[in-house]
Amino acid sequence: MLYRALELTLAPALRAVYHPVVTGPENVPAEGPVIIAANHISFADEVFTPLAARRQIFYFAKAEYFTTPGLRGRAMKAFFEGMGHVPVARTDTRSAAAVIDIGVEVLSHGSALGIYPEGTRSSDGRLHKFRTGVARVALRSGAPVLPVGLVGTRDVKSPDSHRWHRAPVGVHFGEVLHFGDRAAEERSSRVLREVTETVREAVQKLSGQDYVDEFASSLKVTE
């Protein structure tokens, strides 16, 4: 309900202020399960991607957003729950292992699931090595993967600032990738890496970022 309210009120204002350049919108499925796999350079990514896709996208969110005490904490919890975000405890290995199953469940309801395969925001603006979670969800669910390249969102909301700035933003949707015919190969680490690299190459082509063949480090950032 909150998402729908924001789509009718805040979304038009954001489009009017930022005029995001959107390419490949015809590649976004209007309905049905789809994995939105994107590069991650800013907190603003989760605002501009659904804004450009024109459909609700369910994201995983840090559990801290749902457990922070006080008035601000309650407001954050209400916002993230209203947007359909799913809490994940990053330091809980059991919770992390359950993320794949949760993602598959979200997709089973015909929803769009947003995944940042780098695992965290890039600290230097470059594209880092993808983790294989995106491949596991794709193979287990059979849902198609829509690669997305985000450009300029880091200039709108930098990791070290509370403020939002006006800056050019681009949201580029690639052609949908299908891996459903390889579901039986999910246990193969080689196949998981192969599928993951296919997604990574598609995202990099859209974002135009330099690539670093190492995993990104978790950031302590100001929101």
Side-chain angles (χ1 to χ4, degrees):
M1 184 176 294
L2 176 59
Y3 169 79
R4 188 58 56 195
L6 292 176
E7 176 62 26
L8 295 173
T9 56
L10 182 60
L14 288 172
R15 294 187 182 103
V17 171
Y18 289 99
H19 302 288
V21 175
V22 181
T23 62
E26 68 279 1
N27 293 326
V28 182
E31 58 184 16
V34 62
I35 299 166
I36 310 291
N39 59 316
H40 197 16
I41 52 178
S42 170
F43 179 79
D45 297 337
E46 292 179 26
V47 173
F48 286 100
T49 306
L51 188 73
R54 294 182 180 269
R55 68 174 290 185
Q56 185 174 15
I57 301 174
F58 292 82
Y59 289 99
F60 297 115
K62 292 186 294 185
E64 299 93 287
Y65 291 149
F66 298 81
T67 58
T68 301
L71 181 61
R72 181 172 181 267
R74 290 195 295 273
M76 287 174 58
K77 179 180 179 181
F79 173 78
F80 284 104
E81 286 183 343
M83 292 296 289
H85 285 36
V86 181
V88 174
R90 293 185 176 183
T91 57
D92 185 342
T93 56
R94 291 172 300 176
S95 178
V99 165
I100 304 300
D101 291 331
I102 294 172
V104 172
E105 181 180 356
V106 169
L107 292 163
S108 72
H109 296 296
S111 302
L113 176 68
I115 293 180
Y116 297 118
E118 289 170 276
T120 189
R121 284 191 293 279
S122 170
S123 61
D124 55 17
R126 296 182 295 177
L127 191 69
H128 290 256
K129 188 174 182 178
F130 279 16
R131 300 182 184 276
T132 58
V134 63
R136 294 180 186 276
V137 175
L139 293 178
R140 194 173 301 179
S141 69
V145 179
L146 178 67
V148 182
L150 291 150
V151 179
T153 53
R154 188 182 179 89
D155 296 324
V156 172
K157 174 66 174 70
S158 63
D160 58 354
S161 173
H162 287 288
R163 298 186 60 185
W164 286 57
H165 306 274
R166 292 188 64 176
V169 172
V171 184
H172 308 294
F173 298 105
E175 295 184 358
V176 171
L177 304 172
H178 296 274
F179 304 104
D181 60 339
R182 308 191 69 175
E185 301 177 274
E186 183 191 344
R187 293 182 179 275
S188 168
S189 58
R190 177 186 61 79
V191 170
L192 288 174
R193 178 48 58 188
E194 183 179 308
V195 169
T196 301
E197 281 302 293
T198 298
V199 176
R200 194 271 301 170
E201 289 171 0
V203 171
Q204 184 182 7
K205 182 177 180 180
L206 295 164
S207 70
Q209 294 167 281
D210 291 331
Y211 175 62
V212 182
D213 192 25
E214 60 185 30
F215 294 118
S217 301
S218 296
L219 301 175
K220 290 185 178 180
V221 299
T222 303
E223 298 294 9

